[in-house]
Amino acid sequence: MSGILKSIVKKHDTLIGLDCSTKSLAFSKWHKGDFVTCGEIIFEGSTVGTRLGSIHKALPPLIQSGLLKSDAVLIEAAVMVGQNPNTAIVLAYTYGAIMGAFNSEGIPVAKVRPLEWQSYIGNPNLKAFEKASIKKEFPGKSESWYKTYGRKVRKQKTLDWARQYAKIEDDSDNVGDAVGIGYYAFKHQHLLTFE
């Protein structure tokens, strides 16, 4: 090949999309582009240590049972953690435990920025006129309130999309996000970089 290396993109038959928080892990499973199932695993315990232990105990059996078994996983990258450094640290621990659980079962994990998959399903950041409309409907609120409300609007839009596209009945916006992430994973396998 005269010194030129060809990159071969492996097509994965089964993919899982994950939306992770410090207290739960939402997932969606896809096979050959078709939605299979989704759900949310709540981490047990009231402290960081006990929740990390819960991840360590719960995920390997769920992978081995087939529920979370896949060729690869796409997890939403943690890019915005607010002003609290402790939240960033706890989220890093949680992501590490989850990624380690999948990797220990031989399942590679890739990351996607939230706005990439959200935009792909038709839910980009709110436009100026949408923000203005919220301020008109709810006058006199703080900027923090408007930001939180805008986030809720977008979360609901994603959940509505997941209900329509995958026919889910779940009320968890985390599960809605996981469905969007899994959908994006199948449509963009050629862009995924596994660690």
Side-chain angles (χ1 to χ4, degrees):
M1 296 201 335
S2 64
I4 299 173
L5 294 176
K6 276 193 160 181
S7 174
I8 299 173
V9 177
K10 181 179 179 188
K11 227 23 186 154
H12 301 289
D13 285 337
T14 305
L15 283 169
I16 289 182
L18 298 178
D19 182 57
C20 176
S21 75
T22 58
K23 297 185 178 175
S24 73
L25 175 66
F27 67 91
S28 69
K29 188 171 186 176
W30 301 75
H31 183 72
K32 295 188 177 181
D34 293 326
F35 173 75
V36 176
T37 191
C38 62
E40 188 167 14
I41 301 156
I42 307 299
F43 306 141
E44 294 178 9
S46 58
T47 66
V48 174
T50 55
R51 287 195 298 269
L52 292 173
S54 172
I55 294 167
H56 179 72
K57 289 177 189 170
L59 288 188
L62 291 173
I63 294 167
Q64 293 162 9
S65 74
L67 179 64
L68 296 181
K69 183 76 174 161
S70 64
D71 298 321
V73 168
L74 183 64
I75 191 169
E76 183 181 63
V79 294
M80 294 294 285
V81 292
Q83 301 298 319
N84 187 340
N86 189 49
T87 301
I89 292 167
V90 173
L91 204 51
Y93 292 158
T94 305
Y95 271 61
I98 290 167
M99 292 173 76
F102 281 98
N103 276 292
S104 70
E105 295 293 326
I107 302 171
V109 179
K111 294 180 293 216
V112 62
R113 290 190 322 267
L115 196 53
E116 279 183 62
W117 72 262
Q118 291 165 348
S119 295
Y120 185 72
I121 66 164
N123 192 8
N125 281 333
L126 294 177
K127 308 238 182 320
F129 77 89
E130 293 170 309
K131 291 177 183 178
S133 176
I134 292 170
K135 286 184 177 182
K136 185 176 179 182
E137 185 177 354
F138 302 100
K141 304 290 185 182
S142 69
E143 283 306 311
S144 173
W145 187 93
Y146 290 124
K147 198 177 242 184
T148 300
Y149 187 82
R151 185 175 177 271
K152 286 180 185 177
V153 166
R154 291 186 66 232
K155 284 278 199 181
Q156 186 62 50
K157 188 174 179 180
T158 296
L159 183 56
D160 292 343
W161 174 88
R163 286 176 174 156
Q164 182 177 2
Y165 182 83
K167 309 295 186 238
I168 69 167
E169 296 179 9
D170 208 292
D171 289 328
S172 168
D173 56 33
N174 297 328
V175 173
D177 286 0
V179 172
I181 293 164
Y183 177 77
Y184 177 92
F186 253 104
K187 298 295 185 176
H188 293 85
Q189 286 195 50
H190 60 290
L191 299 177
L192 305 184
T193 303
F194 295 95
E195 298 180 1

